[in-house]
């Protein structure tokens, strides 16, 4: 019982850390340069353009509808974890944008670092079995039922949404958006498959006769 409680606390902290890092990357490096961080942002822009829905309401509607899919296809625990991640990410975006600013003041350097940090944050969330919200939920569902790394469907779906958004709104955004998605999803794939135990067992200082107690 105590061991299970410890695992639950660790998972909760990891979800909050991943979501906070994701929000930091958006608030400091990506959003100030108008770089879309994912497909949800692209769909939000499209809904606003087509139906004149306020951006904040469109984003909320999108994430809320995705949570319904999370409950149905994944689990209530995954949906609650995703809801926590979305909430922490939103708070982190606002706080980060208010408290910090990029040290580079160069959109390409911001794009590079922001994409890496975004990928780490999303990768941490997916390792805990929760989504970063929006299209990440769809990617996690595909990963569960098709036994594939969620980074692959995440990149494909977001890429298609970016192309559609660029076709409808402005082609100039697609280059940075696709670069951001390529870098971040590569990081997501690496984080998702990373094994701390495998690295630990290969450390040279371990005695040959070592056995896990």
């Amino acid at each position: 019982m105590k061991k299970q409680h410890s695992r639950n606390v660790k998972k909760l902290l990891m979800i909050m850390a991943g979501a906070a890092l994701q929000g930091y990357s958006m608030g400091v490096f990506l959003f100030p340069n108008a770089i879309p961080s994912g497909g949800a942002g692209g769909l939000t822009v499209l809904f606003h353009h087509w139906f004149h829905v306020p951006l904040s309401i469109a984003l909320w509607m999108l994430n809320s509808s995705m949570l319904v899919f999370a409950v149905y296809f994944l689990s209530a625990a995954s949906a609650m974890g995703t809801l926590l991640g979305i909430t922490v990410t939103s708070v982190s975006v606002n706080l980060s944008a208010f408290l910090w600013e990029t040290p580079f003041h160069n959109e390409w350097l911001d794009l590079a670092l922001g994409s890496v940090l975004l990928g780490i944050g999303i990768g941490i969330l997916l390792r805990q079995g929760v989504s970063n919200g929006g299209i990440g939920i769809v990617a996690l569902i595909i990963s569960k039922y098709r036994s594939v790394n969620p980074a692959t469907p995440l990149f494909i779906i977001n890429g298609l949404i970016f192309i559609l958004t660029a076709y409808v709104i402005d082609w100039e955004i697609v280059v940075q958006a696709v670069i951001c998605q390529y870098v971040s999803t590569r990081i997501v794939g690496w984080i998702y498959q990373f094994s701390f135990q495998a690295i630990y067992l290969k450390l040279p200082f371990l005695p040959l006769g070592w056995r896990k107690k």
Side-chain angles (χ1 to χ4, degrees), residues 30 35-38 107-119 155 158-159 162-163 171-187:
L30 300 178
I35 301 172
S37 60
E107 64 180 17
W108 292 103
L109 291 176
D110 287 345
L111 171 63
L113 183 55
S115 300
V116 170
L117 295 178
L118 178 68
F155 176 73
N158 283 343
F162 288 147
I163 293 174
W171 279 103
E172 292 183 4
I173 70 168
V174 75
V175 175
Q176 291 182 325
V178 170
I179 291 175
C180 177
Q181 281 304 293
Y182 177 77
V183 173
S184 63
T185 50
R186 289 296 294 266
I187 298 295

Side-chain angles (χ1 to χ4, degrees), residues 11 14-15 70 73-83 122-132 136-137 140-141 143-144 150 192:
K11 181 172 183 175
M14 292 299 289
I15 292 173
F73 288 101
L74 299 174
S75 66
S78 178
M80 292 302 296
T82 298
L83 180 60
I122 295 175
I124 292 173
L125 290 173
L126 293 178
R127 276 185 70 100
Q128 303 309 310
V130 304
S131 164
N132 60 310
I137 295 176
L140 199 59
I141 292 172
S143 172
K144 177 180 178 180
Y192 188 79

